[in-house]
Amino acid sequence: MAKNTLSFVCQNCGAAYNRWQGKCESCGEWNTLAEEDTSGSVPVSIRSKRKGRTFALESLSGKTQDAPRLSSGMTELDRVTGGGFVRGSVLLVGGDPGIGKSTLLTQATSMMARAGHRIVYISGEEAVAQVRLRAERLGLSDAPVQLAAETSVEDIVSTLSEGAVPRLIVIDSIQTMWTDTVESAPGTVTQVRASAQALIRFAKKTGAAIILVGHVTKDGQIAGPRVVEHMVDAVLSFEGEGSQQFRILRAVKNRFGPTDEIGVFEMTGLGLREVTNPSELFLSERDLGTPGTAVFAGIEGTRPVLVELQALVAPTSLGTPRRAVVGWDQSRLSMVLAVLEAHCGVKLSGHDVYLNVAGGLRIHEPAADMAAAAALVSSLVNAQLPTDAVYFGEISLSGVIRPVAQTPARLKEAAKLGFKRAVLPESARGGDAGGDAGLALNAVNSLTTLVAEIAAKGSRRGESNAPAEKNATPARFRRGEG
């Protein structure tokens, strides 16, 4: 008999060790190593005697065809996946508990089933009656979706192999699946990996598209193991705050489409509603006339999105001031603060700094540097920024405003929403950047010029307005003067 191979596998990242230890050296988490049997059900002596089969080799000059896609019936979901689900592909959808993953998939599968496709929904966490209650609440109980509550991968594959091949299969969730080929408990790294591999083989063999629902860790990463992300064709992340009605579907990995597109949904009493104009939704509750707010004209994939950046700069009584940011990169905020102090003389070492992206959207592009800097200076000097202006531009370490891509698309979206002016890099002013949009352009080439323009309109809290030098840093911001 083959000797069982025991190892200690991290339940957070999937790293394996030959002995137990308190901390995983791969992901840095504590007390996540669990003992698992990593040997297969077939002895090594038998597996080594198996003869391989021959297969045909093809050349690079063969004809290629675009992969046929299956539309989900939801425009925002198709946008993120690249136009629909590809035959034989496997997608992994992750998100916080209660964010709306099951609601989204229930709506998508119901629309596809109504279109005449065979859709199967396998739930490992809920009973069939619970899934029916959700469909009834969403008004989708009449959709011909085939339901089942099962966790055995062998039984699922055997059942789905009979009759017509389903066009789409939803597995909710992969952490509840188990297979007889390994002897670990359901939910462990070994079981998740083996179950996912069996379902992927079924998808590639039959051409059915499979959606795997995955749990996430406390850090927002898709839970164990991360090797599943490399096995599947696409990884979608469903993001959003529980207190916000907005939900963002983002592609982290996609072999058949872009990874920079987002889908925007709004959670309502009747399920998720698609938002075709995210900019209008993110700006619907703007507080006009408040210092410390700036509108950023960003790009998410091919779609321009306008969002409000909110900043608060307040004196601190602590030895180390706080730096808190929501929806933006923490290190990016630290860089902007360092440039403001080094090149513009803005002293923030005695102030707490808070930055928030309104609406629950997370910004990844560096073009938000100028909008963040404008909001910070506006809050510091208590100066109101123009309510009809948008800001975008990347700040370099030397204080120079660098150009960004797709400037015409940003300006056209701003003009469509009623904005009259735009603050943008100097190099982006040439050409027809603002001609078609009809906006008044305020081109700046350095962060010092932007700070001087904002500081000239306001004063620090408790101070009177003082005259500022034109196109120069005001005296109260110069180094050595406070």
Side-chain angles (χ1 to χ4, degrees), residues 89-143:
S89 63
V90 180
L91 293 82
L92 179 63
V93 179
D96 295 330
I99 201 66
K101 301 185 298 296
S102 300
T103 301
L104 174 65
L105 295 178
T106 301
Q107 293 182 230
T109 52
S110 299
M111 293 182 182
M112 297 169 66
R114 287 175 176 175
H117 304 292
R118 186 192 177 192
I119 308 299
V120 179
Y121 193 104
I122 307 294
S123 177
E125 299 180 344
E126 298 176 308
V128 173
Q130 294 174 312
V131 180
R132 287 174 177 170
L133 285 176
R134 183 190 304 113
E136 184 178 354
R137 176 176 58 86
L138 300 175
L140 304 172
S141 57
D142 60 334

Side-chain angles (χ1 to χ4, degrees), residues 374-438:
L376 291 170
V377 178
S378 171
S379 176
L380 177 64
V381 302
N382 197 26
Q384 175 187 346
L385 295 177
T387 58
D388 60 348
V390 295
Y391 297 80
F392 60 91
E394 180 183 355
I395 298 176
S396 65
L397 293 180
S398 61
V400 177
I401 306 298
R402 295 173 53 85
V404 295
Q406 304 187 40
T407 297
R410 303 174 195 262
L411 297 178
K412 289 180 180 179
E413 179 71 12
K416 185 174 65 175
L417 295 178
F419 289 88
K420 303 300 182 183
R421 66 184 79 176
V423 182
L424 71 168
E426 177 71 32
S427 57
R429 189 170 186 173
D432 59 348
D436 297 336

